[in-house]
């Protein structure tokens, strides 16, 4: 017993000690402890509610009760004690024998600590008889103190008005916490009172509970877990996505059940019944699969509707076009599969299917796919299942009352998983076990592709419906009896080098033969030479015969189960090539005999030429029919003829995949020309520099006789020195076979360079060039990265106004990029101030550029003015040679006028107005040098600098007096020293000013700058006047420079037009994770290696500027790691700073969440630019992006377009074992509300006799709730262990059901992203639409994206690998994409999500065969 107890956690004694600390920490938290993302503080990173075992938390609300105890522990420890005791009672009732994992520790600790230590209050025992009264009083007091009734009335008012603000969003999230606590209190009261009230108080409590359950939909709805759209609580105002017109239309579409049969819907729900409830009743789909796919379909319909740009009515309805688009895309593979097999689809015709039936069929397909688990790797098997279930459903829909499907019903219960998926999974699992962990031969077991290829022929319908258990397909492998392969057998052999590339080998060998013949005939092309050249005919057929023999040999293992057509084609090809190679060889021998015979009539030669010519014509015809679009259509038409179909079938095996791989004539011609140039260069080089120089030496060696050899005399004597000739030609032949890659590399580099120049890549190669070209950035940004309705707004035909409009569009995005660089510590605060760009939305009459372009320009202009001895125009021409100097002078002049005018009133304003009116008149007349004294310009600048130095600070009485004094000094200098004598006299004799000055009223009242625009203006003017050093090296950090150069350079690329966020293509980002580093701990940072160097010390030395910027950001000077221990917040910032410079999950998550930030910014600004009003600001006002991340509308718009799922395969196990990785992932969830984590949950079930243990597997999705703890969104049961093949693809497959949108970007765990690149994502996604046909005759399904290796600066090896990545992914793939043969590495490529999930997913998973873990798109 002792050993058993140690294994289970150390017994009650140890558990009591651990739980005393845990419960004490939960019920009496230290308010000064670190709080991250609004989460309650905890000791050791764990709260009381977090310790609930999974077996208890899944079926009860124990965790919610303990969460309420956490929240109210400080307010009333006695009430918290009541809640904890109720949680213990529920745990005891649920699992009295403590068989679940962790239940013993949970119950023992909770009982010992709560009952023994917390049963006293102020030294006196607590009377548990009054618990109900205490809890009820606290409930009423809590409800009154939190103004719950008022909150609910306000919530209802907001729902009716449909207006949402940032403040409302924050209040809604606070309401969710309050509602969660109230719900827990009511649940505990209901349990304590029971169903039989004994007194007035109990009856009052039950009445309150009934009232809540009957009418308080908000209280229940706000607490229901959801992923993106709160479909189970449509009245929720915490998330306003449900109020979007397109979402309301999609929701109404799935709830249209008027023409559907009646079905039971007794469960009390806040939502209406819909088609998903019908499908769940008929086929027995899991509840969470229903919820998951309901949201998936709603979002697909809503996004399709938004892309139509339809006018919004009072009651939005889903458009037929949107439904048809989704229907055709989702069921495209199924329709093609039916057409390939010659089967009729499950409906009569597309026109005959109404809108509601289309939605039902789409929903059915997604529900099958969502619960198919490993069967998702078999797309045509999914088609087979859908085909039969759709036919079943069709019969049920035609009846008045729905009934359960017979195929999914067994022993009175309906379960799609148990009846359909599990038998297929069990067979695949048995085959997977037969591979001996990948050590068995591929031919000894069936992989995913073998199972799927079974459904590529009509014989698959012999499987029956539901699938017959005794069929060959479901036959599990025994010792000597097993089901073989279907089409292809993967034998491990080097013979595949020839078999797989036989066309290339045959072509190169035949060309070598022909070139050698021409060379030995000294280039003479007479009839004799032609007859020798025709020896390529027998060689061609013999080489093809060898390949056919390899097909016969390597097909062994599939003869019993392969399709009859495949076997017959193999036999026919073998017999055909045997006969034709023999016949052609015989003919050619006869041709040679004719050649040597005299007076021959060349009959055999003519027959031989006729045979070869006819065969070549047939091959060319079939090649054209397969490659050229016009001929391909003719080929498809000729399929009606069995004669043509037979020869096409002999020419190329007909498989389901790979059909119709042809491009347009122009693309095909481009591809052909590219390779013709390569081959022409290669064969020219080979003939003149490889083959021809060896002809004469070979002839001489052949003619040598009586040579004696040291060791191969037996071989070479009498054979015309054959071995010598072989040694002479072998190296040449080897180089000849391999140098084609050299020629490809040379031409690829040439073509890639021309393409890069054409696309204007690499124009901005330095920070100096960025400075020079900055003026062109706003227009390029507005035209490429902004929707046309914003960049093409009607404006006056004035170039300066147009430039200012472009600058106003560009500046908020540029400033957010600069802020992100500061947040990442690549730039300092000073650099950020210099890089920031004004909004350009005010009434200043010029474009304001970032200060780093204008610094020191005023000082230099002053020097020009002081030395000026010419006219005004010559001085201005000298200044205008530097366009940014001209901008600086203009801005300084106009800003000074505006600031002075806003500072003063009455007489002061009159002085400012007259002064600048006189100066403007002088400038217009060209007499400025007569009006002012340029020698005194430095003095005016010094007085103005003193004034702005005060104004950039906060207002105080002393500073206000200082401003008045500074204005008087400026007045004196300007009036009596700067202006010419005639103007000076006019100002001195101006009675209005004279009286105000004598009375002390001049500049006595100061209007301190308050609004953001004016404060920004004052700060800029001060910096313009004071920053003397050049900003040519800003930013200093090389990474910041690289990013800004890359971003600004990309603005001039040819890219699709950006759509508004509401109309863009939605997408998901998908990252697989196993057990890599999430976040470095302090112990990992400070531990030293054998050289005495810690990670933190190393990073401080290789990133000294970033370390200094980090210390400046957190408000610290030079600090060591020991100095951080006194501040938990700074410690956490330090951990993130280090983690963001390593290959960690934290870095990847931060980078991917930039997508959401970019979308929120774009949505927020689009609404303002287009005149939308939010939070009291209109488009005409000063645009400030401060707080855009809190805008409910912007957040909701970003969430409907972007989803980020990290598939943390063993996160559940990490949580159970209390690993640091689990705590760090939970921290990431708390800091990123849009982050979702999917993982595989493993649960052990012990039989009643305690002898047998079975495991159940679930695919779960979690997010952080309002309390910062994990909230389970979906939990879908799997048929078994999902890891049958390679781990990484299986990890992706189980979680891909939680992705959303029309596209998915695959990101590896060690990749990063930047805000400026995230801004271009909607342009990239537009490539999928292929509006202008830039990608050929069909829309692309994978978009290749370059990967930047950020570890290139760590070492020379890392630098080499970084350059190799650039060469492979960027330069090489650019040319391959141009030729329409691009290879995809997998990440960070963007996939057409619907296309790929209906065709087997984004990766292959067969064990060992698909071994490359980094390649998503295939093996």
């Amino acid at each position: 017993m002792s050993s058993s107890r140690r294994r289970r956690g150390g017994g009650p004694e140890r558990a009591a000690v651990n739980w005393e600390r845990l419960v004490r920490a939960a019920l009496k938290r230290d308010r000064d402890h670190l709080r991250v993302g609004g989460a309650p503080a905890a000791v050791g990173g764990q709260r009381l509610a977090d310790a609930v075992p999974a077996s208890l938390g899944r079926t009860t609300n124990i965790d919610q009760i303990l969460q309420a105890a956490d929240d109210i522990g400080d307010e009333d420890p006695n009430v918290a004690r009541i809640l904890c005791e109720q949680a213990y009672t529920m745990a005891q009732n649920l699992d009295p024998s403590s068989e679940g994992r962790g239940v013993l520790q949970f119950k023992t600790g909770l009982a010992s600590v709560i009952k023994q230590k917390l049963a006293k209050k102020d030294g006196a025992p607590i009377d548990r008889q009054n618990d109900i009264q205490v809890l009820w009083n606290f409930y009423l007091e809590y409800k009154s103190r939190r103004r719950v009734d008022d909150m609910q009335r306000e919530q209802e008012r907001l729902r009716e008005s449909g207006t949402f603000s940032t403040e409302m969003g924050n209040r809604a999230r606070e309401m969710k916490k309050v509602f969660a606590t109230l719900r827990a209190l009511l649940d505990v009261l209901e349990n304590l009172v029971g169903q039989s009230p004994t007194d007035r108080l109990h009856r009052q409590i039950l009445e309150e509970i009934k009232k809540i359950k009957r009418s308080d939909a908000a209280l229940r709805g706000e607490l229901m877990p959801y992923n993106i759209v709160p479909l189970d609580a449509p009245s929720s105002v915490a998330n306003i996505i449900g109020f979007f017109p397109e979402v309301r239309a999609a929701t109404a579409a799935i709830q249209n059940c008027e023409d559907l049969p009646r079905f039971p819907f007794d469960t009390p729900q806040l939502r209406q019944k819909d088609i998903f409830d019908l499908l769940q009743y008929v086929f027995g789909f899991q509840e969470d699969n229903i919820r998951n796919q309901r949201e998936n379909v709603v979002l697909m319909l809503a996004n399709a509707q938004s892309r139509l740009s339809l006018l919004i009515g009072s009651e939005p309805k889903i458009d037929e076009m949107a439904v048809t688009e989704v229907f055709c895309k989702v069921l495209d593979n199924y329709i093609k599969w039916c057409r390939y097999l010659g089967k009729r689809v499950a409906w009569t015709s597309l026109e005959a299917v109404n809108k509601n039936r289309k939605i039902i069929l789409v929903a059915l397909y997604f529900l099958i796919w969502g619960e198919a688990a490993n069967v998702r790797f078999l797309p045509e098997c999914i088609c087979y299942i859908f085909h039969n279930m759709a036919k079943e459903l069709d019969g049920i829909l035609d009846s008045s009352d729905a009934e359960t499907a017979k195929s999914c019903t067994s022993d009175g219960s309906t379960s799609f998983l148990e009846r359909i998926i599990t038998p297929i999974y069990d067979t695949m699992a048995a085959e997977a076990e037969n591979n001996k962990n990948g050590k068995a031969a591929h031919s000894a077991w069936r992989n995913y592709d073998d199972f799927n290829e079974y459904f590529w022929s009509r014989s698959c319908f012999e499987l029956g419906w539901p699938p017959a258990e005794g069929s060959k397909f479901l036959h599990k492998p025994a010792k000597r009896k097993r089901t073989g392969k279907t089409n292809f057998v993967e034998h491990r052999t080097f013979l595949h080098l020839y078999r797989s590339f036989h066309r290339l080998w045959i072509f190169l060998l035949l060309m070598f033969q022909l070139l050698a013949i021409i060379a030995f005939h000294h280039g003479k092309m007479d009839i004799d030479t032609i007859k020798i050249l025709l020896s390529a005919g027998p060689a061609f057929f013999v080489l093809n015969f060898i390949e056919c023999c390899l097909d016969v040999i390597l097909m062994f293992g599939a003869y019993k189960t392969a399709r009859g057509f495949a076997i017959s084609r193999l036999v026919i090809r073998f017999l055909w090539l045997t006969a034709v190679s023999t016949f052609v060889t015989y003919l050619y021998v006869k041709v040679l005999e004719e050649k040597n015979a005299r007076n021959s009539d060349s009959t055999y030669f003519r027959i031989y030429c006729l045979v070869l010519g006819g065969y070549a014509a047939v091959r060319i015809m079939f090649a054209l029919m397969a490659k050229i679009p016009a001929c391909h259509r003719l080929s498809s038409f000729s399929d009606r003829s069995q004669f043509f179909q037979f020869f096409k079938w002999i020419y190329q095996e007909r498989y389901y995949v790979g059909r119709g791989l042809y491009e347009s004539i122009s693309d095909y011609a481009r591809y052909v020309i590219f390779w013709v140039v390569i081959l022409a260069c290669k064969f020219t080089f080979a003939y003149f520099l490889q083959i021809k120089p060896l002809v004469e030496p070979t002839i001489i060696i052949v003619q040598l006789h009586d040579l004696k050899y040291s060791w191969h005399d037996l071989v070479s004597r009498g054979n015309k020195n054959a071995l010598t000739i072989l040694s002479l030609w072998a190296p040449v032949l080897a180089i000849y076979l391999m140098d084609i890659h050299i020629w490809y590399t040379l031409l690829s580099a040439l073509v890639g360079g021309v393409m890069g120049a054409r696309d204007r890549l690499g124009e901005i190669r330095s920070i100096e060039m960025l400075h020079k070209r900055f003026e062109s950035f706003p227009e390029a940004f507005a035209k490429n990265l902004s929707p046309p309705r914003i960049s093409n707004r009607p404006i006056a035909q004035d170039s300066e106004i147009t430039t200012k409009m472009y600058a106003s569009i560009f500046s908020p995005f540029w400033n957010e990029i600069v802020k992100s660089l500061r947040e990442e510590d690549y730039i300092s605060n000073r650099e950020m101030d210099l890089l920031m760009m004004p909004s350009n939305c005010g009434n200043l009459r010029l474009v304001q550029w970032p200060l780093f372009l204008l610094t020191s320009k005023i000082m230099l202009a002053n020097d020009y003015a002081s030395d000026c001895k010419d006219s005004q125009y010559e001085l201005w021409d000298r200044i205008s040679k530097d366009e940014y100097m001209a901008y600086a002078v203009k801005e300084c002049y106009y800003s000074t006028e505006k600031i002075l005018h806003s500072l003063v009133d009455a007489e002061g304003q009159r002085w400012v107005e007259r002064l600048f009116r006189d100066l403007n008149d002088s400038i217009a007349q060209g007499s400025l040098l007569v009006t002012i004294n340029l020698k005194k310009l430095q003095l005016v600048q010094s007085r103005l600098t003193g004034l702005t130095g005060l104004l950039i600070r906060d207002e105080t009485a002393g500073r206000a007096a200082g401003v008045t004094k500074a204005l008087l000094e400026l007045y004196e200098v300007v009036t009596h020293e700067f202006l010419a004598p005639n103007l000076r006299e006019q100002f001195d004799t101006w009675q209005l000013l004279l009286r105000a000055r004598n009375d002390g009223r001049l500049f006595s009242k100061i209007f301190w700058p308050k609004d953001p625009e004016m404060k920004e203006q004052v700060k800029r003017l001060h910096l313009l006047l004071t920053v003397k050093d050049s900003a040519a090296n800003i930013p200093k950090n090389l990474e910041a420079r690289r990013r800004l150069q890359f971003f600004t350079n990309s603005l001039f690329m040819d890219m699709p037009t950006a759509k508004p966020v509401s109309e863009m293509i939605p997408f998901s980002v998908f990252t697989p994770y196993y057990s890599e580093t999430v976040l470095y701990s302090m112990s990992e940072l400070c531990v030293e290696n054998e050289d005495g160097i810690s990670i933190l010390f190393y990073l401080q030395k290789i990133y000294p500027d970033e370390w200094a910027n980090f210390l400046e950001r957190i408000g610290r000077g030079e600090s060591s790691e020991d100095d951080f221990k006194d501040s938990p917040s700074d410690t956490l910032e330090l951990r993130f700073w280090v983690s963001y410079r390593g290959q960690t999950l934290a870095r990847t998550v931060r980078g991917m969440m930039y997508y959401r930030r970019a979308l929120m910014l774009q949505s927020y600004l689009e609404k303002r630019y287009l005149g939308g009003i939010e939070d009291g600001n209109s488009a005409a006002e000063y645009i400030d992006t401060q707080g855009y991340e809190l805008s409910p509308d912007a957040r909701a718009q970003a969430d409907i377009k972007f989803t980020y799922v990290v598939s943390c395969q063993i996160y559940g196990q990490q949580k159970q074992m209390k690993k640091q990785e689990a705590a760090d992932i939970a921290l990431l969830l708390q800091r990123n509300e849009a982050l979702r984590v999917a993982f595989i949950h493993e649960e052990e079930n012990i039989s009643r006799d305690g002898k047998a243990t079975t495991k159940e597997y679930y695919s779960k999705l979690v997010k952080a709730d309002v309390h910062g703890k994990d909230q389970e969104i979906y939990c879908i049961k799997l048929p078994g262990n999902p890891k049958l093949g390679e781990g990484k693809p299986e990890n992706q497959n189980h979680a891909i059901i939680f992705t959303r949108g029309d596209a998915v970007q695959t990101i590896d765990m060690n990749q990063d992203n930047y805000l400026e690149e995230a801004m271009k994502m909607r342009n990239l996604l537009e490539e999928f639409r292929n509006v202008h046909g830039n990608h050929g005759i069909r829309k692309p399904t994978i978009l290749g994206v370059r990967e930047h290796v950020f570890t290139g600066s760590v070492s020379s090896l890392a630098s080499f690998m970084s350059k190799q990545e650039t060469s492979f992914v960027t330069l090489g793939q650019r040319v391959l994409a141009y030729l329409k043969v691009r290879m995809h590495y997998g990440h960070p490529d963007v996939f057409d999500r619907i296309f790929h999930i209906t065709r087997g997913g984004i990766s292959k998973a067969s064990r060992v065969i698909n071994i490359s873990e980094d390649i998503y798109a295939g093996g």
Side-chain angles (χ1 to χ4, degrees), residues 346-500:
W347 54 89
T348 53
S349 65
L350 186 62
E351 294 74 16
V353 184
N354 62 32
K355 183 169 63 176
N356 204 23
R357 286 289 179 99
K358 290 176 183 176
I359 298 176
I360 292 176
L361 290 172
V362 169
L364 175 62
Y365 186 92
F366 274 119
L367 288 171
I368 294 170
W369 174 79
E371 207 163 322
N374 299 69
V375 182
R376 280 191 287 271
F377 286 116
L378 318 180
E380 281 66 65
C381 179
I382 298 288
C383 291
Y384 177 82
I385 296 172
F386 171 80
H387 180 79
N388 289 281
M389 293 179 67
K391 285 195 168 185
E392 274 190 290
L393 180 64
D394 188 58
I396 294 173
L397 293 179
D398 291 337
S399 60
S400 58
D401 293 305
E403 59 183 17
T404 59
K406 296 179 180 179
S407 60
C408 299
T409 303
S410 176
D411 299 330
S413 63
T414 306
S415 173
F416 168 75
L417 179 70
E418 298 296 331
R419 290 283 294 145
I420 306 300
I421 298 300
T422 301
I424 303 176
Y425 168 84
D426 290 341
T427 305
M428 292 194 299
E431 291 283 359
E433 291 179 3
N434 207 36
N435 68 21
K436 299 178 182 178
N437 200 26
K439 296 179 181 179
H442 297 319
S443 57
W445 56 283
R446 288 184 290 171
N447 56 47
Y448 284 121
D449 290 333
D450 296 316
F451 280 100
N452 188 52
E453 288 171 12
Y454 176 81
F455 296 93
W456 288 2
S457 68
R458 293 177 64 95
S459 60
C460 67
F461 287 92
E462 297 174 1
L463 184 61
W465 186 254
E469 296 181 1
S471 65
K472 289 185 178 180
F473 177 76
L474 295 179
H475 178 70
K476 298 179 182 177
K479 291 184 178 180
R480 294 191 177 182
K481 291 184 179 181
R482 65 180 186 85
T483 303
K485 300 278 188 172
T486 305
N487 288 319
F488 181 78
V489 184
E490 300 87 353
H491 289 284
R492 290 191 181 104
T493 173
F494 285 106
L495 295 175
H496 282 297
L497 287 175
Y498 180 79
R499 184 196 185 197
S500 300

Side-chain angles (χ1 to χ4, degrees), residues 1365-1405:
E1365 172 71 21
T1366 302
S1367 174
F1368 170 68
V1369 176
T1370 305
L1371 303 179
Q1373 299 287 35
R1374 181 191 305 161
V1375 177
L1376 293 178
Y1378 180 68
L1379 300 176
K1380 296 293 184 292
V1381 288
R1382 191 190 197 282
M1383 296 179 292
H1384 288 270
Y1385 183 43
H1387 58 247
D1389 292 347
V1390 184
F1391 294 75
D1392 183 329
R1393 175 175 171 266
I1394 306 303
F1395 178 89
H1396 283 87
I1397 65 176
T1398 56
R1399 288 163 177 83
I1402 58 175
S1403 56
K1404 296 281 190 176

Side-chain angles (χ1 to χ4, degrees), residues 290-302:
I290 290 286
R291 293 178 54 242
N292 181 34
Q293 298 307 328
R294 177 185 287 120
E295 181 185 84
N296 182 31
V297 172
V298 165
L299 287 176
M300 284 194 65
L301 293 172

Side-chain angles (χ1 to χ4, degrees), residues 923-1201:
I923 293 172
Q925 298 169 7
S927 59
L928 183 64
L929 299 186
V930 179
T931 305
I932 62 175
N933 182 4
L934 292 178
K935 301 290 184 182
K936 299 298 181 180
L937 198 58
Q938 296 279 5
L939 187 59
V940 174
Q941 179 183 343
S942 65
R943 297 295 186 271
L944 192 58
T945 302
L947 174 63
T948 56
L950 291 170
L951 292 176
I952 60 176
R953 302 180 182 180
D954 294 332
E955 182 181 10
T956 62
R959 288 174 186 157
V963 168
T964 301
K965 182 179 178 181
L967 282 171
L968 289 172
E969 292 178 354
L970 178 66
Y971 170 81
E972 290 292 335
V973 168
V974 170
T975 305
H976 298 110
E977 299 188 43
F978 183 61
L979 295 178
N982 58 336
L983 285 178
R984 182 190 316 161
E985 185 177 352
Q986 292 179 17
F987 279 103
D988 285 340
T989 58
W990 192 5
Q991 292 298 320
L992 183 69
L993 282 181
L994 193 61
R995 285 195 302 270
R997 187 177 179 186
N998 293 335
D999 296 342
R1001 290 184 287 106
L1002 186 62
F1003 308 136
S1004 61
K1005 188 174 182 180
I1006 302 298
F1007 297 96
W1008 206 272
K1010 298 292 185 182
D1011 64 289
E1013 182 185 4
M1014 186 55 63
K1015 291 171 71 175
E1016 176 188 335
Q1017 203 75 43
V1018 172
K1019 184 178 181 180
R1020 276 183 59 84
L1021 180 60
H1022 182 73
L1023 290 173
L1024 270 175
L1025 297 173
T1026 56
V1027 177
K1028 298 180 180 180
D1029 54 330
S1030 173
N1033 62 340
I1034 290 177
K1036 299 177 183 177
N1037 186 273
L1038 296 179
E1039 176 64 11
R1041 290 188 176 194
R1042 183 197 67 80
R1043 284 173 51 177
L1044 291 179
Q1045 290 169 21
F1046 185 87
F1047 170 69
T1048 53
N1049 189 80
S1050 67
L1051 294 179
F1052 301 97
M1053 294 178 60
D1054 182 20
M1055 62 179 73
T1057 304
K1059 294 284 186 181
V1061 174
S1062 60
E1063 299 176 16
M1064 67 173 285
I1065 295 177
F1067 72 104
S1068 296
V1069 175
F1070 196 37
T1071 300
Y1073 167 85
Y1074 188 70
S1075 61
E1076 299 87 346
T1077 302
V1078 179
L1079 193 69
Y1080 287 114
S1081 64
M1082 282 302 295
S1083 59
E1084 291 175 312
L1085 300 186
C1086 301
V1087 65
E1088 297 179 351
N1089 61 10
E1090 61 273 11
D1091 298 323
I1093 297 176
S1094 64
I1095 294 177
L1096 182 59
F1097 178 81
Y1098 175 71
L1099 292 176
Q1100 288 172 352
K1101 296 307 176 186
I1102 66 173
Y1103 303 120
D1105 55 337
E1106 296 174 27
W1107 174 250
N1109 295 338
F1110 166 69
L1111 294 178
E1112 181 186 30
R1113 177 166 60 85
I1114 64 175
R1116 285 180 175 264
E1118 290 295 328
S1119 302
S1120 64
E1121 54 266 25
D1122 295 332
D1123 299 331
F1124 285 87
K1125 295 180 180 178
D1126 59 348
S1127 174
S1129 60
D1130 288 351
T1131 300
L1132 186 62
E1133 287 296 326
L1134 176 62
R1135 292 178 60 199
F1136 274 104
W1137 184 84
V1138 175
S1139 301
Y1140 288 156
R1141 279 144 188 84
Q1143 297 191 37
T1144 61
L1145 182 62
R1147 179 172 188 164
T1148 302
V1149 170
R1150 180 197 64 175
M1152 296 310 112
M1153 295 311 296
Y1154 277 139
Y1155 282 128
R1156 184 171 187 260
R1157 180 173 169 182
L1159 290 175
M1160 286 192 293
L1161 177 64
Q1162 290 167 335
S1163 175
Y1164 181 82
L1165 292 176
E1166 282 170 11
K1167 187 173 183 181
R1168 293 198 168 194
Y1169 284 135
L1170 298 175
I1173 298 176
E1174 181 177 341
D1175 297 336
N1177 291 309
S1178 68
E1181 295 178 350
Y1182 171 78
I1183 291 184
D1184 181 17
T1185 59
Q1186 187 71 27
Y1188 72 91
E1189 293 173 303
L1190 300 178
S1191 166
D1193 187 81
R1195 291 159 64 95
Q1197 195 66 257
D1199 288 339
I1200 203 174
K1201 298 296 181 180

Side-chain angles (χ1 to χ4, degrees), residues 749-820:
L750 178 62
V751 174
V754 172
M755 291 176 60
R758 184 197 63 183
D759 295 337
R760 304 177 66 180
L761 301 179
E763 287 188 354
I764 301 174
R765 298 181 299 275
S766 64
I767 198 68
E768 292 79 12
M769 196 171 291
L770 185 145
H771 289 187
K772 293 179 181 178
R773 296 287 305 276
F774 198 92
E775 194 175 2
S776 61
F777 295 163
E779 181 178 359
F781 181 92
K783 291 185 176 180
N784 283 330
L785 298 188
S786 291
R789 68 178 68 172
I790 292 177
S791 58
N792 296 337
R793 286 179 296 172
I795 55 175
Q797 297 299 320
D798 188 322
S799 60
E800 189 169 355
I801 295 178
T802 303
T803 305
K804 188 176 177 64
M805 183 201 72
Y806 289 146
S808 68
I809 296 174
F810 174 66
S811 61
F813 295 95
W814 173 262
N815 291 340
E816 285 302 314
I817 293 171
V818 172
K819 289 177 184 177
S820 72

